[in-house]
Amino acid sequence: MTAAPRIVVHPDKQSLADASAARLVTAIIDAQSVRPEVHLCLTGGSMGSAILASVLTTPGSSAVDWSTVHVWWGDERYLPAGDGERNETQNAEALLDHVPIPAQNVHAVAGPDRSASAEASAEAYAADVRASGAGDFDVMLLGVGPDAHIASLFPHHPAQRTTDAIAIAVHDSPKPPPDRVSLTFEALEHSRRVWFLVAGADKADAVAKALDPSADRWDVPASAVKGEAETLWLLDTDAASRLPGAQDAG
Ligand SMILES: O=C(O)[C@H](O)[C@@H](O)[C@H](O)[C@H](O)COP(=O)(O)O
């Protein structure tokens, strides 16, 4: 059972980040009131870090008990620990280095300094997901590329075809760097809430295609993932500008 997409539009990228951060803080606090651990799956890209940076300035964030929060990544660039292009590094600079989240709760994907190959990293990451029982993420954050890719699942890329797996190695990524590790569609969908975070006019076509019920995931990966309880498209006005009726909004 999955939840039909719901669209929320904010005036610009910063208000999108701020409002989504407030939504995330509330979701964490709600989850903490009913579960001993909260599992968040973070995303790379500019919106992935923008929402985290806004969490720091969200008034309610002081109510989050970070000791019970676990963070994962929907995808990671296969680069050594500390590399500025790693999603983990960018998300740490935005938030994780500034909150008391235990190191063992940060489930990073191994880079070439800690694994022999992206394939080995994918296997180890999948084992970590299984061991933590996380299979069910409380909130899955996903940025969306102009080509409607999510995580490191790209249109017409053979990595899409891998099933019966939690994480996969991705090579020849059209978005640099070329080598990555990504959760599969199935793993991404093991989420109570799936939130797409999308800003900018360059994403408007991808958003419109992803929300078209006739979309095929081979062409439009972002159309293929929905949450078990909630699927939100959190957009700024520019990213929503090609949706039906958007032009009438004036
Ligand atoms: O590793 C990555 O590159 C990201 O996970 C990728 O999936 C990103 O989320 C989108 O490309 C959107 O990125 P922007 O928000 O920067 O456009």
Side-chain angles (χ1 to χ4, degrees):
M1 177 72 178
T2 58
R6 191 156 58 85
I7 300 165
V8 180
V9 182
H10 296 283
D12 53 43
K13 180 173 180 177
Q14 190 56 55
S15 58
L16 169 62
D18 295 343
S20 303
R23 186 184 294 271
L24 181 59
V25 166
T26 302
I28 296 169
I29 294 169
D30 281 351
Q32 286 183 321
S33 65
V34 293
R35 280 187 290 281
E37 293 180 344
V38 179
H39 291 268
L40 305 180
C41 200
L42 307 180
T43 181
S46 61
M47 277 313 301
S49 289
I51 183 175
L52 297 184
S54 290
V55 164
L56 272 182
T57 57
T58 297
S61 60
S62 57
V64 172
D65 175 0
W66 291 102
S67 70
T68 69
V69 176
H70 289 251
V71 295
W72 305 81
W73 278 270
D75 73 327
E76 184 58 278
R77 291 97 180 264
Y78 189 60
L79 297 167
D83 187 296
E85 285 304 302
R86 277 178 64 95
N87 295 332
E88 173 200 11
T89 307
Q90 293 175 11
N91 291 169
E93 287 166 0
L95 177 66
L96 304 180
D97 286 347
H98 309 290
V99 292
I101 186 170
Q104 65 269 24
N105 290 14
V106 179
H107 301 271
V109 178
D113 55 324
R114 289 175 46 220
S115 81
S117 66
E119 283 72 9
S121 286
E123 279 182 36
Y125 190 53
D128 192 10
V129 170
R130 278 192 292 272
S132 73
D136 247 341
F137 298 107
D138 289 278
V139 184
M140 171 66 66
L141 300 178
L142 289 171
V144 178
D147 60 358
H149 78 259
I150 47 172
S152 288
L153 300 171
F154 295 91
H156 314 143
H157 193 291
Q160 278 200 42
R161 292 201 175 104
T162 303
T163 56
D164 294 333
I166 291 176
I168 52 173
V170 178
H171 301 292
D172 303 323
S173 163
K175 177 179 181 181
D179 299 316
R180 294 155 167 261
V181 172
S182 183
L183 291 181
T184 58
F185 284 111
E186 293 85 346
L188 294 174
E189 281 219 311
H190 271 279
S191 303
R192 290 181 179 84
R193 303 165 186 259
V194 171
W195 298 355
F196 296 92
L197 302 164
V198 199
D202 63 322
K203 308 293 181 69
D205 276 342
V207 169
K209 285 174 184 170
L211 286 164
D212 180 338
S214 66
D216 179 282
R217 98 175 184 189
W218 182 243
D219 304 316
V220 188
S223 66
V225 177
K226 294 178 179 60
E228 294 158 355
E230 181 179 72
T231 307
L232 282 183
W233 282 79
L234 301 172
L235 311 172
D236 73 350
T237 304
D238 286 342
S241 60
R242 294 286 174 87
L243 290 175
Q247 291 78 357
D248 308 339

